[in-house]
Amino acid sequence: MNGTVAILTLWVLASSGIQLGTLWIMKTSILPMLNSLPYDRYVTVCQLIDMHVFHPIAVWNGVIAAGLGVWAAFLVPSPAVAVLFVVGSVGMVVVGLTSEGFNRPIWRQIEKWSPQRVAADWGRKRSRWYIAHEVRTYGAIAAVGAYIAAFAGQIA
């Protein structure tokens, strides 16, 4: 493994692993807690979570990792390892597209809701937000798995 590929591999593994870690914490602890709350507390708690820092970091982390994974795919001599890098990058793109296309727009609506007046379709939006979160978490799992396999394929 040459130096450039080693750095790219380390970067995509770290980036996708951090992304998966944050999404996994959401999936296993924060979302179950939020989904157990009645409307007024759900809105209040969501509004206390400052996602203005997390969302851009998560999106750009995913975009950069996906791009670096594709770059690594062009540099490795093995077609199988190249495919694994591309699969990992697709997983990171799924994370980003789902975040920006579903989660973030719904989150921006929640930020404007009143805890005293139930928002129209709040149950459906909460369900869509939850499902979208599941999709992006599994996208991150696929990315981490593919990048680990790409790493292993290079040292085998």
Side-chain angles (χ1 to χ4, degrees):
M1 179 179 343
N2 73 40
T4 302
V5 173
I7 291 168
L8 293 174
T9 302
L10 179 62
W11 185 288
V12 297
L13 278 170
S15 293
S16 62
I18 290 166
Q19 192 89 313
L20 175 57
T22 59
L23 294 173
W24 191 258
I25 289 167
M26 280 289 279
K27 176 184 174 27
T28 58
S29 60
I30 296 170
L31 286 176
M33 181 269 306
L34 286 173
N35 287 333
S36 72
L37 299 175
Y39 174 81
D40 61 333
R41 290 198 320 219
Y42 178 90
V43 172
T44 300
V45 170
C46 284
Q47 290 174 350
L48 290 171
I49 300 171
D50 184 2
M51 291 300 233
H52 295 281
V53 173
F54 172 76
H55 278 141
I57 291 171
V59 170
W60 285 108
N61 175 52
V63 168
I64 292 167
L68 293 177
V70 170
W71 182 19
F74 282 104
L75 296 178
V76 294
S78 165
V81 171
V83 166
L84 290 167
F85 274 118
V86 170
V87 169
S89 294
V90 168
M92 292 304 282
V93 168
V94 166
V95 171
L97 288 176
T98 306
S99 291
E100 287 302 298
F102 293 95
N103 292 82
R104 194 171 185 187
I106 292 171
W107 192 265
R108 294 297 179 245
Q109 292 173 30
I110 293 169
E111 289 178 325
K112 296 174 185 161
W113 289 352
S114 167
Q116 289 78 34
R117 290 186 318 275
V118 176
D121 254 354
W122 93 278
R124 192 170 72 79
K125 286 180 183 176
R126 180 173 68 167
S127 294
R128 284 182 64 218
W129 191 78
Y130 180 84
I131 291 167
H133 185 77
E134 292 283 303
V135 168
R136 68 185 183 173
T137 302
Y138 292 119
I141 290 169
V144 170
Y147 289 146
I148 288 171
F151 171 73
Q154 292 176 73
I155 59 172

PDB file of all heavy atoms in Angstrom, residues 128-155:
ATOM      1  N   ARG A 128     -41.260   9.817   9.583  1.00  0.00           N
ATOM      2  CA  ARG A 128     -40.381   9.979   8.415  1.00  0.00           C
ATOM      3  C   ARG A 128     -38.960  10.320   8.857  1.00  0.00           C
ATOM      4  O   ARG A 128     -37.989   9.818   8.290  1.00  0.00           O
ATOM      5  CB  ARG A 128     -40.911  11.068   7.479  1.00  0.00           C
ATOM      6  CG  ARG A 128     -42.103  10.606   6.656  1.00  0.00           C
ATOM      7  CD  ARG A 128     -42.592  11.660   5.700  1.00  0.00           C
ATOM      8  NE  ARG A 128     -41.563  11.963   4.707  1.00  0.00           N
ATOM      9  CZ  ARG A 128     -41.327  13.188   4.241  1.00  0.00           C
ATOM     10  NH1 ARG A 128     -42.041  14.211   4.650  1.00  0.00           N
ATOM     11  NH2 ARG A 128     -40.397  13.378   3.348  1.00  0.00           N
ATOM     12  N   TRP A 129     -38.851  11.185   9.860  1.00  0.00           N
ATOM     13  CA  TRP A 129     -37.537  11.569  10.374  1.00  0.00           C
ATOM     14  C   TRP A 129     -36.826  10.337  10.946  1.00  0.00           C
ATOM     15  O   TRP A 129     -35.643  10.121  10.709  1.00  0.00           O
ATOM     16  CB  TRP A 129     -37.712  12.649  11.442  1.00  0.00           C
ATOM     17  CG  TRP A 129     -36.444  13.304  11.870  1.00  0.00           C
ATOM     18  CD1 TRP A 129     -35.755  14.267  11.194  1.00  0.00           C
ATOM     19  CD2 TRP A 129     -35.707  13.052  13.059  1.00  0.00           C
ATOM     20  NE1 TRP A 129     -34.631  14.632  11.910  1.00  0.00           N
ATOM     21  CE2 TRP A 129     -34.582  13.903  13.063  1.00  0.00           C
ATOM     22  CE3 TRP A 129     -35.896  12.191  14.145  1.00  0.00           C
ATOM     23  CZ2 TRP A 129     -33.650  13.909  14.086  1.00  0.00           C
ATOM     24  CZ3 TRP A 129     -34.963  12.206  15.159  1.00  0.00           C
ATOM     25  CH2 TRP A 129     -33.858  13.055  15.122  1.00  0.00           C
ATOM     26  N   TYR A 130     -37.576   9.516  11.675  1.00  0.00           N
ATOM     27  CA  TYR A 130     -37.009   8.303  12.263  1.00  0.00           C
ATOM     28  C   TYR A 130     -36.554   7.313  11.177  1.00  0.00           C
ATOM     29  O   TYR A 130     -35.448   6.778  11.239  1.00  0.00           O
ATOM     30  CB  TYR A 130     -38.050   7.646  13.178  1.00  0.00           C
ATOM     31  CG  TYR A 130     -37.551   6.388  13.840  1.00  0.00           C
ATOM     32  CD1 TYR A 130     -36.811   6.458  15.009  1.00  0.00           C
ATOM     33  CD2 TYR A 130     -37.802   5.135  13.291  1.00  0.00           C
ATOM     34  CE1 TYR A 130     -36.340   5.311  15.619  1.00  0.00           C
ATOM     35  CE2 TYR A 130     -37.325   3.988  13.893  1.00  0.00           C
ATOM     36  CZ  TYR A 130     -36.598   4.085  15.050  1.00  0.00           C
ATOM     37  OH  TYR A 130     -36.111   2.957  15.638  1.00  0.00           O
ATOM     38  N   ILE A 131     -37.396   7.096  10.183  1.00  0.00           N
ATOM     39  CA  ILE A 131     -37.042   6.171   9.097  1.00  0.00           C
ATOM     40  C   ILE A 131     -35.832   6.681   8.333  1.00  0.00           C
ATOM     41  O   ILE A 131     -34.916   5.910   8.006  1.00  0.00           O
ATOM     42  CB  ILE A 131     -38.252   5.932   8.160  1.00  0.00           C
ATOM     43  CG1 ILE A 131     -39.321   5.132   8.899  1.00  0.00           C
ATOM     44  CG2 ILE A 131     -37.820   5.225   6.879  1.00  0.00           C
ATOM     45  CD1 ILE A 131     -40.675   5.108   8.207  1.00  0.00           C
ATOM     46  N   ALA A 132     -35.812   7.965   8.047  1.00  0.00           N
ATOM     47  CA  ALA A 132     -34.660   8.539   7.352  1.00  0.00           C
ATOM     48  C   ALA A 132     -33.389   8.363   8.186  1.00  0.00           C
ATOM     49  O   ALA A 132     -32.313   8.079   7.645  1.00  0.00           O
ATOM     50  CB  ALA A 132     -34.907  10.013   7.042  1.00  0.00           C
ATOM     51  N   HIS A 133     -33.521   8.511   9.491  1.00  0.00           N
ATOM     52  CA  HIS A 133     -32.355   8.310  10.344  1.00  0.00           C
ATOM     53  C   HIS A 133     -31.878   6.858  10.265  1.00  0.00           C
ATOM     54  O   HIS A 133     -30.671   6.600  10.234  1.00  0.00           O
ATOM     55  CB  HIS A 133     -32.633   8.689  11.799  1.00  0.00           C
ATOM     56  CG  HIS A 133     -31.402   8.580  12.627  1.00  0.00           C
ATOM     57  ND1 HIS A 133     -30.409   9.520  12.586  1.00  0.00           N
ATOM     58  CD2 HIS A 133     -30.966   7.597  13.443  1.00  0.00           C
ATOM     59  CE1 HIS A 133     -29.409   9.121  13.365  1.00  0.00           C
ATOM     60  NE2 HIS A 133     -29.730   7.963  13.896  1.00  0.00           N
ATOM     61  N   GLU A 134     -32.815   5.924  10.231  1.00  0.00           N
ATOM     62  CA  GLU A 134     -32.441   4.511  10.089  1.00  0.00           C
ATOM     63  C   GLU A 134     -31.681   4.289   8.771  1.00  0.00           C
ATOM     64  O   GLU A 134     -30.660   3.609   8.757  1.00  0.00           O
ATOM     65  CB  GLU A 134     -33.706   3.635  10.107  1.00  0.00           C
ATOM     66  CG  GLU A 134     -34.406   3.602  11.447  1.00  0.00           C
ATOM     67  CD  GLU A 134     -33.708   2.717  12.449  1.00  0.00           C
ATOM     68  OE1 GLU A 134     -33.511   1.521  12.161  1.00  0.00           O
ATOM     69  OE2 GLU A 134     -33.362   3.225  13.525  1.00  0.00           O
ATOM     70  N   VAL A 135     -32.190   4.873   7.690  1.00  0.00           N
ATOM     71  CA  VAL A 135     -31.548   4.722   6.376  1.00  0.00           C
ATOM     72  C   VAL A 135     -30.119   5.246   6.424  1.00  0.00           C
ATOM     73  O   VAL A 135     -29.188   4.588   5.956  1.00  0.00           O
ATOM     74  CB  VAL A 135     -32.367   5.431   5.275  1.00  0.00           C
ATOM     75  CG1 VAL A 135     -31.582   5.537   3.977  1.00  0.00           C
ATOM     76  CG2 VAL A 135     -33.691   4.704   5.046  1.00  0.00           C
ATOM     77  N   ARG A 136     -29.926   6.436   6.985  1.00  0.00           N
ATOM     78  CA  ARG A 136     -28.574   6.982   6.987  1.00  0.00           C
ATOM     79  C   ARG A 136     -27.662   6.202   7.925  1.00  0.00           C
ATOM     80  O   ARG A 136     -26.466   6.073   7.659  1.00  0.00           O
ATOM     81  CB  ARG A 136     -28.574   8.478   7.270  1.00  0.00           C
ATOM     82  CG  ARG A 136     -28.982   8.893   8.635  1.00  0.00           C
ATOM     83  CD  ARG A 136     -29.046  10.414   8.734  1.00  0.00           C
ATOM     84  NE  ARG A 136     -29.367  10.794  10.098  1.00  0.00           N
ATOM     85  CZ  ARG A 136     -29.361  12.030  10.532  1.00  0.00           C
ATOM     86  NH1 ARG A 136     -29.070  13.008   9.707  1.00  0.00           N
ATOM     87  NH2 ARG A 136     -29.652  12.305  11.776  1.00  0.00           N
ATOM     88  N   THR A 137     -28.198   5.640   9.008  1.00  0.00           N
ATOM     89  CA  THR A 137     -27.373   4.815   9.884  1.00  0.00           C
ATOM     90  C   THR A 137     -26.909   3.561   9.162  1.00  0.00           C
ATOM     91  O   THR A 137     -25.733   3.186   9.232  1.00  0.00           O
ATOM     92  CB  THR A 137     -28.144   4.438  11.168  1.00  0.00           C
ATOM     93  OG1 THR A 137     -28.543   5.636  11.834  1.00  0.00           O
ATOM     94  CG2 THR A 137     -27.298   3.591  12.101  1.00  0.00           C
ATOM     95  N   TYR A 138     -27.819   2.919   8.424  1.00  0.00           N
ATOM     96  CA  TYR A 138     -27.418   1.716   7.684  1.00  0.00           C
ATOM     97  C   TYR A 138     -26.498   2.054   6.520  1.00  0.00           C
ATOM     98  O   TYR A 138     -25.622   1.255   6.159  1.00  0.00           O
ATOM     99  CB  TYR A 138     -28.646   0.912   7.263  1.00  0.00           C
ATOM    100  CG  TYR A 138     -29.336   0.314   8.472  1.00  0.00           C
ATOM    101  CD1 TYR A 138     -30.639   0.645   8.795  1.00  0.00           C
ATOM    102  CD2 TYR A 138     -28.659  -0.549   9.324  1.00  0.00           C
ATOM    103  CE1 TYR A 138     -31.255   0.127   9.933  1.00  0.00           C
ATOM    104  CE2 TYR A 138     -29.263  -1.068  10.462  1.00  0.00           C
ATOM    105  CZ  TYR A 138     -30.563  -0.727  10.750  1.00  0.00           C
ATOM    106  OH  TYR A 138     -31.160  -1.235  11.878  1.00  0.00           O
ATOM    107  N   GLY A 139     -26.640   3.243   5.945  1.00  0.00           N
ATOM    108  CA  GLY A 139     -25.680   3.698   4.934  1.00  0.00           C
ATOM    109  C   GLY A 139     -24.286   3.822   5.531  1.00  0.00           C
ATOM    110  O   GLY A 139     -23.288   3.434   4.907  1.00  0.00           O
ATOM    111  N   ALA A 140     -24.207   4.346   6.754  1.00  0.00           N
ATOM    112  CA  ALA A 140     -22.910   4.472   7.435  1.00  0.00           C
ATOM    113  C   ALA A 140     -22.338   3.099   7.787  1.00  0.00           C
ATOM    114  O   ALA A 140     -21.127   2.887   7.684  1.00  0.00           O
ATOM    115  CB  ALA A 140     -23.054   5.336   8.686  1.00  0.00           C
ATOM    116  N   ILE A 141     -23.200   2.169   8.181  1.00  0.00           N
ATOM    117  CA  ILE A 141     -22.725   0.803   8.468  1.00  0.00           C
ATOM    118  C   ILE A 141     -22.132   0.181   7.201  1.00  0.00           C
ATOM    119  O   ILE A 141     -21.053  -0.424   7.241  1.00  0.00           O
ATOM    120  CB  ILE A 141     -23.865  -0.075   9.026  1.00  0.00           C
ATOM    121  CG1 ILE A 141     -24.238   0.378  10.439  1.00  0.00           C
ATOM    122  CG2 ILE A 141     -23.479  -1.553   9.021  1.00  0.00           C
ATOM    123  CD1 ILE A 141     -25.516  -0.251  10.988  1.00  0.00           C
ATOM    124  N   ALA A 142     -22.823   0.349   6.077  1.00  0.00           N
ATOM    125  CA  ALA A 142     -22.312  -0.172   4.798  1.00  0.00           C
ATOM    126  C   ALA A 142     -20.979   0.478   4.447  1.00  0.00           C
ATOM    127  O   ALA A 142     -20.045  -0.205   3.993  1.00  0.00           O
ATOM    128  CB  ALA A 142     -23.336   0.062   3.691  1.00  0.00           C
ATOM    129  N   ALA A 143     -20.871   1.787   4.664  1.00  0.00           N
ATOM    130  CA  ALA A 143     -19.625   2.491   4.353  1.00  0.00           C
ATOM    131  C   ALA A 143     -18.473   1.962   5.199  1.00  0.00           C
ATOM    132  O   ALA A 143     -17.405   1.634   4.668  1.00  0.00           O
ATOM    133  CB  ALA A 143     -19.802   3.992   4.562  1.00  0.00           C
ATOM    134  N   VAL A 144     -18.684   1.876   6.494  1.00  0.00           N
ATOM    135  CA  VAL A 144     -17.624   1.396   7.384  1.00  0.00           C
ATOM    136  C   VAL A 144     -17.227  -0.033   7.006  1.00  0.00           C
ATOM    137  O   VAL A 144     -16.038  -0.350   6.905  1.00  0.00           O
ATOM    138  CB  VAL A 144     -18.049   1.482   8.869  1.00  0.00           C
ATOM    139  CG1 VAL A 144     -17.064   0.754   9.766  1.00  0.00           C
ATOM    140  CG2 VAL A 144     -18.177   2.935   9.299  1.00  0.00           C
ATOM    141  N   GLY A 145     -18.212  -0.881   6.782  1.00  0.00           N
ATOM    142  CA  GLY A 145     -17.915  -2.267   6.404  1.00  0.00           C
ATOM    143  C   GLY A 145     -17.116  -2.359   5.116  1.00  0.00           C
ATOM    144  O   GLY A 145     -16.134  -3.114   5.029  1.00  0.00           O
ATOM    145  N   ALA A 146     -17.515  -1.581   4.112  1.00  0.00           N
ATOM    146  CA  ALA A 146     -16.808  -1.615   2.825  1.00  0.00           C
ATOM    147  C   ALA A 146     -15.396  -1.059   2.957  1.00  0.00           C
ATOM    148  O   ALA A 146     -14.442  -1.616   2.390  1.00  0.00           O
ATOM    149  CB  ALA A 146     -17.607  -0.837   1.780  1.00  0.00           C
ATOM    150  N   TYR A 147     -15.245   0.029   3.698  1.00  0.00           N
ATOM    151  CA  TYR A 147     -13.908   0.598   3.871  1.00  0.00           C
ATOM    152  C   TYR A 147     -12.995  -0.326   4.680  1.00  0.00           C
ATOM    153  O   TYR A 147     -11.797  -0.427   4.396  1.00  0.00           O
ATOM    154  CB  TYR A 147     -13.990   1.978   4.532  1.00  0.00           C
ATOM    155  CG  TYR A 147     -14.553   3.073   3.651  1.00  0.00           C
ATOM    156  CD1 TYR A 147     -15.316   4.093   4.206  1.00  0.00           C
ATOM    157  CD2 TYR A 147     -14.325   3.104   2.277  1.00  0.00           C
ATOM    158  CE1 TYR A 147     -15.825   5.123   3.424  1.00  0.00           C
ATOM    159  CE2 TYR A 147     -14.840   4.127   1.488  1.00  0.00           C
ATOM    160  CZ  TYR A 147     -15.587   5.135   2.060  1.00  0.00           C
ATOM    161  OH  TYR A 147     -16.089   6.151   1.292  1.00  0.00           O
ATOM    162  N   ILE A 148     -13.547  -1.017   5.668  1.00  0.00           N
ATOM    163  CA  ILE A 148     -12.742  -2.004   6.414  1.00  0.00           C
ATOM    164  C   ILE A 148     -12.310  -3.127   5.480  1.00  0.00           C
ATOM    165  O   ILE A 148     -11.151  -3.559   5.489  1.00  0.00           O
ATOM    166  CB  ILE A 148     -13.521  -2.558   7.629  1.00  0.00           C
ATOM    167  CG1 ILE A 148     -13.632  -1.496   8.716  1.00  0.00           C
ATOM    168  CG2 ILE A 148     -12.858  -3.829   8.178  1.00  0.00           C
ATOM    169  CD1 ILE A 148     -14.573  -1.877   9.858  1.00  0.00           C
ATOM    170  N   ALA A 149     -13.247  -3.599   4.660  1.00  0.00           N
ATOM    171  CA  ALA A 149     -12.911  -4.663   3.709  1.00  0.00           C
ATOM    172  C   ALA A 149     -11.870  -4.185   2.693  1.00  0.00           C
ATOM    173  O   ALA A 149     -10.967  -4.950   2.309  1.00  0.00           O
ATOM    174  CB  ALA A 149     -14.175  -5.152   3.004  1.00  0.00           C
ATOM    175  N   ALA A 150     -11.963  -2.925   2.259  1.00  0.00           N
ATOM    176  CA  ALA A 150     -10.979  -2.376   1.328  1.00  0.00           C
ATOM    177  C   ALA A 150      -9.599  -2.323   1.990  1.00  0.00           C
ATOM    178  O   ALA A 150      -8.582  -2.671   1.362  1.00  0.00           O
ATOM    179  CB  ALA A 150     -11.401  -0.975   0.872  1.00  0.00           C
ATOM    180  N   PHE A 151      -9.563  -1.942   3.240  1.00  0.00           N
ATOM    181  CA  PHE A 151      -8.305  -1.925   3.991  1.00  0.00           C
ATOM    182  C   PHE A 151      -7.733  -3.346   4.077  1.00  0.00           C
ATOM    183  O   PHE A 151      -6.566  -3.575   3.776  1.00  0.00           O
ATOM    184  CB  PHE A 151      -8.504  -1.336   5.382  1.00  0.00           C
ATOM    185  CG  PHE A 151      -7.306  -1.476   6.276  1.00  0.00           C
ATOM    186  CD1 PHE A 151      -6.186  -0.705   6.068  1.00  0.00           C
ATOM    187  CD2 PHE A 151      -7.301  -2.398   7.311  1.00  0.00           C
ATOM    188  CE1 PHE A 151      -5.067  -0.840   6.877  1.00  0.00           C
ATOM    189  CE2 PHE A 151      -6.198  -2.537   8.138  1.00  0.00           C
ATOM    190  CZ  PHE A 151      -5.064  -1.755   7.921  1.00  0.00           C
ATOM    191  N   ALA A 152      -8.587  -4.286   4.485  1.00  0.00           N
ATOM    192  CA  ALA A 152      -8.137  -5.672   4.631  1.00  0.00           C
ATOM    193  C   ALA A 152      -7.670  -6.236   3.288  1.00  0.00           C
ATOM    194  O   ALA A 152      -6.692  -6.987   3.237  1.00  0.00           O
ATOM    195  CB  ALA A 152      -9.264  -6.531   5.213  1.00  0.00           C
ATOM    196  N   GLY A 153      -8.347  -5.852   2.211  1.00  0.00           N
ATOM    197  CA  GLY A 153      -7.957  -6.322   0.885  1.00  0.00           C
ATOM    198  C   GLY A 153      -6.591  -5.815   0.449  1.00  0.00           C
ATOM    199  O   GLY A 153      -5.929  -6.434  -0.394  1.00  0.00           O
ATOM    200  N   GLN A 154      -6.162  -4.722   1.014  1.00  0.00           N
ATOM    201  CA  GLN A 154      -4.866  -4.164   0.653  1.00  0.00           C
ATOM    202  C   GLN A 154      -3.715  -4.813   1.432  1.00  0.00           C
ATOM    203  O   GLN A 154      -2.578  -4.817   0.950  1.00  0.00           O
ATOM    204  CB  GLN A 154      -4.834  -2.663   0.944  1.00  0.00           C
ATOM    205  CG  GLN A 154      -5.739  -1.864   0.033  1.00  0.00           C
ATOM    206  CD  GLN A 154      -5.723  -0.420   0.428  1.00  0.00           C
ATOM    207  OE1 GLN A 154      -4.741   0.269   0.180  1.00  0.00           O
ATOM    208  NE2 GLN A 154      -6.795   0.048   1.061  1.00  0.00           N
ATOM    209  N   ILE A 155      -4.012  -5.337   2.604  1.00  0.00           N
ATOM    210  CA  ILE A 155      -2.945  -5.926   3.410  1.00  0.00           C
ATOM    211  C   ILE A 155      -2.921  -7.447   3.301  1.00  0.00           C
ATOM    212  O   ILE A 155      -2.047  -8.084   3.862  1.00  0.00           O
ATOM    213  CB  ILE A 155      -3.035  -5.494   4.895  1.00  0.00           C
ATOM    214  CG1 ILE A 155      -4.372  -5.887   5.515  1.00  0.00           C
ATOM    215  CG2 ILE A 155      -2.803  -3.999   5.021  1.00  0.00           C
ATOM    216  CD1 ILE A 155      -4.451  -5.654   7.007  1.00  0.00           C
TER     217      ILE A 155
END
